[in-house]
Amino acid sequence: RSASYTSYSRNGTSIKSRSAHKQERPFEDFSGRMSLSEEVLKQYFEQQKCLLDFFFAHIEYDTLVEFANSCLQCGGTIYFTGVGKSGFISKKVSTMLISIGVKSFFLSPTDALHGDIGILSNEDMLVMFSRSGSTEELIQLCPAARKKGCQIIAVSSERDCKLAAHSDKHIWLPLERELCPFDLAPVTSSTVQLLFGDTLVTALMNAKGLSRDDYAKNHPAGRIGKRLTIDVSHVMIPTEKCPIASEDERLLEVLLKTSAAHCGCVLVCNAEGSLLGVCTDGDIRRALKSFEGEALWKPISALMTVKPRVVPITTSAYHALQAMELTPKVSVLPVVQEENLAGLVTLHDLLKLGL
């Protein structure tokens, strides 16, 4: 069953309509509450996709390249400003730049006109976000910002706008119309602004050669910080506390070590401290099932897993957790430094980190 929908131009006239065998009301009254059908909601998302396709089809990359290089070469701070939803987006882009080590700040246009413009210098850039390019607060700010000597960049969805005339450079973000039925609410233009800002940030990350370690330094807390900053060396059980057995020890002797350690395995090493294998609780249960009482007198070398999965001591805790999830899944990982055993990391300890 196909439904119909209509798109509108900026003056409100219909520009596209698709007929249907059976029309469906966008809103249905269900148990006294307003509701949307799946089919109608899907149409909204499809129309939004078409509007975003328009942006990608008409974007002018030469001005974007010039702006990106200006950001890289900026010797001062990159200030962002905007009013309303454009202000929210500009603040978000500014904080993203800060997170990758670029000096940036959000400047309220109202506060700037009442003293905060004093922070601007001739080494700075002032990036103004406005869908229409005619936001009065931003236009009032331009002459004062120009007196401070900073570079003014206008970002709007109107080619010939007042803000472009008052700026040093203008970046046009193509916009066919808003998804809003009145073409008023910035439900598409704000998405376009966010796409522009976040893609710019990603490009600058690569251009700056930002490493994973550099990024981690700016995100010490939360899941991102934990995944990037915590190594297995921080959470592993050190060698002196690990249950270690020689290859000729019998299972009966090893059982006492595994019970006391509470880590689910015993590590088998030679006299030089090199790891030879791992014998887990599961290996022991399978041996007892297969050999019954005779298993107690077998050497641990006959029951252990030879060449077990290991991780270097420099491995991040998050990557160790991912290694445990590989097939076959394991709940313990020996940690090695060069060829020698350095410790043991367990699934339980990694999960407690909240990675």
Side-chain angles (χ1 to χ4, degrees):
R1 182 177 58 178
S2 61
S4 63
Y5 68 89
T6 303
S7 295
Y8 299 91
S9 64
R10 290 196 174 276
N11 60 13
T13 60
S14 173
I15 60 173
K16 181 171 64 174
S17 178
R18 187 173 68 189
S19 61
H21 297 296
K22 182 178 180 180
Q23 290 189 349
E24 186 172 359
R25 294 173 58 192
F27 294 95
E28 298 175 0
D29 192 0
F30 180 73
S31 300
R33 294 176 296 177
M34 300 296 285
S35 64
L36 278 167
S37 69
E38 179 180 338
E39 186 174 357
V40 171
L41 187 59
K42 183 179 179 181
Q43 290 176 14
Y44 285 117
F45 280 97
E46 289 175 347
Q47 289 183 63
Q48 183 75 301
K49 179 181 179 298
C50 290
L51 295 173
L52 293 178
D53 287 342
F54 178 88
F55 165 75
F56 286 111
H58 294 83
I59 191 169
E60 297 174 348
Y61 288 100
D62 53 343
T63 56
L64 299 187
V65 171
E66 187 179 355
F67 174 65
N69 286 325
S70 295
C71 291
L72 288 171
Q73 296 162 9
C74 180
T77 302
I78 304 174
Y79 290 93
F80 286 81
T81 189
V83 177
K85 307 302 184 295
S86 295
F88 296 147
I89 299 298
S90 62
K91 183 181 293 185
K92 196 267 184 184
V93 176
S94 176
T95 57
M96 287 294 294
L97 285 175
I98 293 171
S99 74
I100 65 169
V102 175
K103 289 194 294 183
S104 183
F105 194 77
F106 173 76
L107 183 64
S108 165
T110 303
D111 292 340
L113 291 170
H114 291 273
D116 284 3
I117 198 172
I119 200 172
L120 294 178
S121 74
N122 57 7
E123 294 184 345
D124 299 331
M125 292 174 58
L126 180 61
V127 185
M128 299 180 167
F129 275 64
S130 171
R131 183 191 77 163
S132 66
S134 59
T135 306
E136 193 61 34
E137 293 90 338
L138 300 184
I139 294 173
Q140 292 177 9
L141 181 59
C142 285
R146 190 169 300 283
K147 289 180 180 179
K148 299 292 293 185
C150 69
Q151 186 179 14
I152 303 173
I153 313 294
V155 181
S156 76
S157 291
E158 295 289 345
R159 277 191 179 276
D160 301 318
C161 60
K162 292 181 180 179
L163 200 58
H166 287 79
S167 304
D168 298 307
K169 296 178 183 177
H170 176 237
I171 297 174
W172 176 58
L173 302 182
L175 178 68
E176 184 178 14
R177 70 179 307 278
E178 301 286 1
L179 182 63
C180 166
F182 313 117
D183 195 17
L184 294 175
V187 291
T188 303
S189 58
S190 60
T191 304
V192 166
Q193 290 176 342
L194 195 59
L195 273 170
F196 160 73
D198 284 346
T199 306
L200 171 71
V201 171
T202 306
L204 294 180
M205 286 176 67
N206 291 328
K208 285 167 57 65
L210 192 76
S211 68
R212 183 182 291 268
D213 289 339
D214 293 333
Y215 191 75
K217 291 175 183 177
N218 298 334
H219 297 80
R223 179 174 291 185
I224 293 177
K226 289 178 180 178
R227 287 184 175 185
L228 294 175
T229 60
I230 300 179
D231 294 335
V232 290
S233 60
H234 300 138
V235 294
M236 70 180 185
I237 302 170
T239 306
E240 57 270 18
K241 294 184 179 180
C242 290
I244 298 176
S246 60
E247 56 186 324
D248 57 349
E249 285 189 63
R250 300 184 186 278
L251 177 58
L252 183 62
E253 301 169 294
V254 171
L255 283 175
L256 296 175
K257 296 181 179 180
T258 58
S259 299
H262 302 291
C263 61
C265 71
V266 63
L267 305 172
V268 184
C269 299
N270 60 20
E272 290 74 31
S274 297
L275 182 69
L276 302 176
V278 174
C279 187
T280 66
D281 288 349
D283 293 327
I284 295 173
R285 287 194 298 270
R286 284 186 288 272
L288 291 172
K289 183 178 181 180
S290 299
F291 304 108
E292 297 181 343
E294 295 181 11
L296 297 174
W297 306 103
K298 287 185 174 293
I300 198 67
S301 58
L303 309 176
M304 70 182 184
T305 299
V306 182
K307 295 183 179 179
R309 193 181 308 166
V310 300
V311 291
I313 196 169
T314 56
T315 304
S316 71
Y318 177 62
H319 285 139
L321 182 61
Q322 289 182 314
M324 287 184 173
E325 292 296 316
L326 298 175
T327 305
K329 295 182 178 181
V330 296
S331 59
V332 292
L333 276 179
V335 180
V336 295
Q337 189 168 18
E338 296 179 351
E339 295 184 357
N340 294 329
L341 180 69
L344 179 72
V345 63
T346 69
L347 178 62
H348 177 71
D349 289 335
L350 292 178
L351 291 178
K352 285 196 302 183
L353 294 175
L355 300 175

